[in-house]
Amino acid sequence: MPLVIIGLIGAIEVFSGLSHYSTLFGDISKIPGFSPGGLTILASIVLHPILGLAAVAFALIRRLRLSIIALGLFALTQWASDMPSVIWHGFDLSGDAFVNAHAVFKIFLQP
């Protein structure tokens, strides 16, 4: 049962990541250049479907640990791509409780 759940999560991440590939082949002005922060965002866009596919593949060959590691690496790349925005704009808790809880989760608890 855990293999099925991990495989489904990986499949969702593959299709979600493929939808972001249009940024690479379209208007790249949304990404902040080729600074370290911009390269982190680009790496996250490129690795998103690859790590999702790895999670699905490992689930299909019944390697649960490797599948979880692939999803963990995906989570870390997402966290790293959010960090340039936090560094540039600061950490501000000026929203409602749900927005603040989501920001705290993504910045402090996710890694």
Side-chain angles (χ1 to χ4, degrees):
M1 186 68 171
L3 290 170
V4 173
I5 294 170
I6 297 291
L8 287 174
I9 292 171
I12 290 169
E13 294 304 330
V14 169
F15 292 117
S16 173
L18 289 176
S19 69
H20 295 293
Y21 267 15
S22 63
T23 304
L24 295 177
F25 301 116
D27 185 19
I28 202 159
S29 65
K30 298 176 185 177
I31 299 172
F34 290 104
S35 65
L39 291 175
T40 304
I41 294 169
L42 284 173
S44 174
I45 291 171
V46 170
L47 290 175
H48 189 153
I50 294 170
L51 290 172
L53 189 62
V56 170
F58 288 135
L60 286 175
I61 62 171
R62 299 183 180 267
R63 302 283 188 196
L64 183 61
R65 288 182 184 175
L66 294 175
S67 185
I68 290 172
I69 289 170
L71 289 178
L73 285 173
F74 161 71
L76 285 176
T77 58
Q78 287 298 106
W79 174 79
S81 73
D82 290 338
M83 285 303 102
S85 175
V86 173
I87 291 169
W88 292 328
H89 303 294
F91 182 69
D92 185 26
L93 294 176
S94 62
D96 61 352
F98 179 75
V99 172
N100 291 339
H102 185 260
V104 167
F105 173 77
K106 283 191 76 159
I107 293 169
F108 297 112
L109 298 179
Q110 187 174 11

